Amino acid sequence: MYWSKLLVLALAQFVLASPHARRWDDLAVKHSWTEIPEGWVYHSAPSPSRLLDLRIGMKSHKMDDLITQLYEVSDPKHPKYGQYLSKEEVDALSAPHPDSVEAVEAWLQHHGVNPDEAIDRSGGGDWITLRIPVSVAERMLDTKYGVYHHLKSEDYIVRALSYSLPRELHSHINLVTPTTYFGTIRAMKSNSFVNPDIQVSKEAFVEDVNAPAALPPASCATTVTPACLKAFYNITGFSPVNPASQRIGIAGYLEEFGNRADLQTFLNQLLPASRGFTYTTTLINGGEDDQNDPGVEANLDIQYVVGMAAPIPVTYYSTGGRPPFIPDSTQSTNTNEPYLDWVNFVLAQSTIPTVFTTSYGENEQTIPLDYRQSVCDLFAKLTARGSTILFSSGDSGVGGGDCRTNDGRNRVQFQPAFPASCPFVTAVGGTTGLTETTIGFSGGGFSNTFARPAYQDTAVSRYLQILGNTNAGLFNTTGRAYPDLSAQANRFEVFVGGRAISVGGTSARNVQTVAGIVALINDVRISNGKGVLGFLNPLIYSDGVTGFNDIVTGSNPGCGTNGFPARAGWDPATGLGTPDFAKLRLLLG
């Protein structure tokens, strides 16, 4: 009898330990939309044999430790300040728990998918990419994929309105993609715009490296050039001493290519001392570099990063991932979001730029929560390695359109932008004018996803107290607040196809201006035997706060309101203000 009980107990333990005892059919929804996301329409069903590059993001077992260390190395008052993590250290902290790996691989094998045949694994093993047919993905995720058409951009993508995972895997998996994220980078590309009715001034301010520092001339009110920006931000006369000691990275998508001939025209016309300087291009996931097809966005980015920071090296990352749709295709086409491809590619490199600038963004609510959190975590990993990540704050003030929520309740609410709302990036708003004021479209507000980080508690609490009941109920008072700082954002002279045009938008050089200034301060620090600035936010909200020109006029209207007014100190229209290089050089160099 005793032996019988032992046998029963042993068998029970075997069954519990056996992968076959797992309830892979006990499913729970991971994410779903109540309706097709705005701007998209259903087109057709994809072929069941169409191949998807399915990417699975597992939970990093020590993500909390990584974030703790990120704040330690970014806090100027901490003993570990500036002791950034290596790739190997970030990979180790990014790794999933062995139980997560075992559970995910057992689930894949249950569906006939061999995890050993993954076409890509991240350095930490937290991301795995598998090439599988749509029919298999639908069975694994208890979903139906469709081909959806974006009416404005003409993009076609394969996505689902919901997906599920076995309950057991919800504690192991952050994200599976492509699934419910419908974002199109073409739709996100509204952060810069050509001013067709504005002619660039024939008296545009040209840089003279031998000229003494001076206030920007009147022409800078109508045509902004690198010389104007250097006058605005007190940089005139400074040249990098150690340019080869760092690198600036620019993220590019949508077959947007910088044109080297246009860059030389720009330099010849506006920065003659930098003639001949060029940049390198890194191709990611089928990215291209077509010199016969210059893009406004790419030329904007490159010309003003170079204009602010030459001769510090610049790398333009051209990321593919928006293939033409072929209805009967059974061949593999990349269906992943190129945004995610870019971040994972950079993290896989042994050396990375010290400063990154990206001009894209979209409303938080249009991005699934699991996607927002996963991408924000990737930015934490990137900043932990000592990089500064800059994003534009958007061009819709506190929100564009009717500002209705898409959660089924249809409430009017301010619409924060992502990735600007991620607490591990530095968001840059916009100003305008010789005496700088908030430009009306400057994005700013409070995240509905991410809690307010401690580094901005004092500054934001002070603003909210002054704001009182203004806009009450329209925003999340406890959310991560942005922008963090600002710069000029309109009437920039840019060369495209050999012709000078005027461009505006918060991606129109406010981000690139700040990227250049950060790189210049890095150069000063390197000359003084110090490390690069890395994650800026804990520093600028403490030691660096007096290095900015406080913007106290204007607001960022939207959602049928006047938005947030600029005030003394930090505000959600212009952040801490615009940079003063001479002051920052003394404070931080």
Side-chain angles (χ1 to χ4, degrees), residues 104 121 144 151 165 180 193 201 235-236 240 268 283 299 314 341 363 379 419 439 451 489 543 549 562:
V104 169
R121 289 180 184 266
K144 290 296 292 183
L151 297 176
L165 291 172
T180 55
F193 46 83
S201 172
I235 309 172
T236 305
N268 287 332
L283 307 181
N299 271 2
V314 174
D341 289 336
N363 288 347
F379 290 138
I439 198 162
D543 291 1
N549 307 308
N562 290 326

Side-chain angles (χ1 to χ4, degrees), residues 271-290:
L271 291 101
S274 296
R275 288 188 184 106
F277 184 85
T278 191
Y279 62 95
T280 60
T281 298
T282 296
L283 307 181
I284 303 172
N285 191 29
E288 300 174 20
D289 186 21
D290 186 349

Side-chain angles (χ1 to χ4, degrees), residues 65-80:
D65 290 344
L66 187 146
I67 292 173
T68 295
Q69 292 190 45
L70 165 62
Y71 280 124
E72 289 175 349
V73 302
S74 306
D75 180 356
K77 297 178 176 59
H78 196 279
K80 290 185 178 180

Side-chain angles (χ1 to χ4, degrees), residues 36 40-45 146-149 156-157 325 327:
I36 298 174
W40 295 92
V41 295
Y42 179 82
H43 177 272
S44 60
V147 177
Y148 292 87
H149 178 208
Y156 291 87
I157 58 175
F325 171 63

Side-chain angles (χ1 to χ4, degrees), residues 198-234:
I198 298 177
Q199 298 296 317
V200 295
S201 172
K202 293 181 180 179
E203 304 300 323
F205 190 28
V206 178
E207 181 176 30
D208 180 354
V209 295
N210 297 313
L215 294 175
S219 65
C220 293
T222 56
T223 301
V224 175
T225 66
C228 292
L229 296 171
K230 292 182 179 182
F232 273 119
Y233 303 130
N234 215 355

